[in-house]
């Protein structure tokens, strides 16, 4: 069974632009969570989705948004990029709520 | 809000030796889950071990075991017979139970970088 996949793996954007990151969960998994990882702040929760509904959102500005599709694939969008948005963005999926989360390899976003 | 603290930014161990990574957490909940995740240099986060707070027995997965002290809010990871492949960042994480809103949100510590010396 294929693991969690994230595309693209690397991305370079300019300040002010917007970006969309994609996450495909493990087949059959319905829950998807997103995390931002930076050297300074560590791993921080962005949001989670279950059955196309956002269940929880972390303490991030409204520039960060996401959605989940009927096939459980998820996207996150960051608008008006800032230098501080440079980070590794990790996606994790789980079968149903309460089960172990499996992480993808991440998308490395660099904002210049 | 829950917090997770890993007081050892870096640790090193000789191959075949045993090492213990520390983790403490703060919560007012009585039921919750604790995890140790491993993130090798390739960056893929891997679940190492999981502990349910209502279970008194410490979780064990092959060479990995935990020392869960609920009253002290401590959750340390012991790696026995360390191998070169154990070198990675190790993150301790906390999650509330499903009864608390059903969130999947993990609260992570800052991590401990483990080096294994041959």
């Amino acid at each position: 069974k294929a693991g969690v996949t994230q595309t693209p793996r690397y991305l370079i954007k300019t300040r002010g632009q917007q970006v969309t990151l994609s996450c495909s969960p493990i087949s059959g998994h319905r829950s998807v969570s997103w995390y931002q990882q930076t050297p300074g702040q560590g791993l921080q929760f962005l949001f989670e989705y279950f059955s196309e509904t956002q269940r929880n959102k972390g303490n991030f500005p409204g520039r960060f948004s996401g959605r989940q599709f009927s096939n459980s694939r998820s996207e996150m969008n960051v608008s008006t990029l800032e230098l501080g948005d440079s980070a590794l963005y990790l996606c994790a999926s789980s079968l149903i709520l309460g089960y172990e989360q499996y992480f993808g390899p991440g998308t490395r976003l660099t904002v210049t | 809000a829950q917090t997770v603290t890993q007081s050892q930014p870096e640790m090193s161990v000789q191959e075949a030796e045993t090492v213990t990574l520390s983790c403490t957490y703060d919560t007012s909940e009585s039921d919750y889950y604790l995890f140790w995740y491993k993130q090798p240099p390739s960056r893929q986060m891997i679940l190492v071990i999981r502990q349910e707070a209502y279970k008194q027995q410490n979780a064990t997965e092959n060479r990995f075991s935990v020392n869960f002290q609920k009253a002290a809010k401590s959750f340390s990871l012991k790696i026995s017979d360390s191998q070169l492949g154990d070198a990675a960042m190790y993150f301790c994480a906390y999650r509330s139970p499903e009864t608390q809103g059903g969130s999947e949100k993990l609260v992570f510590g800052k991590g401990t970088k483990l080096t294994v010396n041959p």
Side-chain angles (χ1 to χ4, degrees), chain B residues 84-105:
Chain B
L84 295 177
D86 295 333
M89 283 291 290
Y90 285 82
F91 293 95
C92 178
Y94 173 103
R95 183 169 73 77
S96 297
E98 295 78 55
T99 53
Q100 300 297 322
S103 175
E104 292 285 316
K105 173 186 175 182

Side-chain angles (χ1 to χ4, degrees), chain B residues 46-94:
Chain B
I46 303 166
L47 177 66
V48 175
I49 202 164
R50 155 192 172 130
Q51 174 81 43
E52 291 88 344
Y54 65 86
K55 291 185 178 179
Q56 293 186 333
Q57 186 173 7
N58 289 323
T60 299
E61 287 289 339
N62 301 311
R63 298 182 294 106
F64 299 87
S65 62
V66 298
N67 183 6
F68 174 48
Q69 301 289 327
K70 190 173 184 179
K73 296 180 182 175
S74 171
F75 183 60
S76 61
L77 175 70
K78 186 173 81 171
I79 305 174
S80 304
D81 185 26
S82 296
Q83 300 175 0
L84 295 177
D86 295 333
M89 283 291 290
Y90 285 82
F91 293 95
C92 178
Y94 173 103

Side-chain angles (χ1 to χ4, degrees), chain A residues 6-7 11 21 32 48 57-58 61 77 82 90 100:
Chain A
Q6 292 187 245
T7 56
L11 205 52
L21 311 181
V32 173
E48 66 174 291
K57 190 177 191 299
N77 183 278
E82 300 178 359
L90 295 170
E100 282 85 0

Side-chain angles (χ1 to χ4, degrees), chain A residues 50-86:
Chain A
F50 182 78
S51 293
E52 303 177 65
T53 301
Q54 186 180 90
R55 294 183 55 86
N56 201 358
K57 190 177 191 299
N59 189 26
F60 279 83
R63 300 184 298 107
F64 290 81
S65 63
R67 59 178 175 170
Q68 186 180 34
F69 301 94
S70 58
N71 62 357
S72 294
R73 190 177 69 86
S74 178
E75 288 182 348
M76 67 163 282
N77 183 278
V78 188
S79 62
T80 319
L81 284 166
E82 300 178 359
L83 295 178
D85 297 333
S86 295

Side-chain angles (χ1 to χ4, degrees), chain A:
Chain A
K1 184 179 278 190
V4 178
T5 58
Q6 292 187 245
T7 56
R9 291 291 310 277
Y10 302 91
L11 205 52
I12 300 175
K13 289 286 188 179
T14 304
R15 267 187 309 174
Q17 289 185 314
Q18 73 166 21
V19 67
T20 299
L21 311 181
S22 180
C23 170
S24 292
I26 293 172
S27 178
H29 284 198
R30 297 171 61 192
S31 176
V32 173
S33 300
W34 289 88
Y35 295 86
Q36 181 196 63
Q37 185 175 23
T38 59
Q41 298 299 316
L43 282 150
Q44 292 186 288
F45 172 79
L46 278 158
F47 25 62
E48 66 174 291
Y49 290 89
F50 182 78
S51 293
E52 303 177 65
T53 301
Q54 186 180 90
R55 294 183 55 86
N56 201 358
K57 190 177 191 299
N59 189 26
F60 279 83
R63 300 184 298 107
F64 290 81
S65 63
R67 59 178 175 170
Q68 186 180 34
F69 301 94
S70 58
N71 62 357
S72 294
R73 190 177 69 86
S74 178
E75 288 182 348
M76 67 163 282
N77 183 278
V78 188
S79 62
T80 319
L81 284 166
E82 300 178 359
L83 295 178
D85 297 333
S86 295
L88 181 69
Y89 289 88
L90 295 170
C91 167
S93 76
S94 61
L95 184 60
I96 56 175
L97 292 174
Y99 276 59
E100 282 85 0
Q101 294 183 46
Y102 296 84
F103 283 80
T107 294
R108 169 73 63 188
L109 172 65
T110 301
V111 182
T112 62

Side-chain angles (χ1 to χ4, degrees), chain B residues 15-56:
Chain B
E15 199 175 0
E17 296 294 310
T18 296
V19 64
T20 298
L21 308 184
S22 300
C23 172
T24 58
Y25 56 94
D26 187 28
T27 183
S28 58
E29 297 172 326
S30 59
D31 194 17
Y32 45 85
Y33 300 92
L34 295 166
F35 306 85
W36 278 99
Y37 280 89
K38 167 185 177 181
Q39 190 177 39
S42 65
R43 313 300 275 185
Q44 186 105 26
M45 193 86 75
I46 303 166
L47 177 66
V48 175
I49 202 164
R50 155 192 172 130
Q51 174 81 43
E52 291 88 344
Y54 65 86
K55 291 185 178 179
Q56 293 186 333

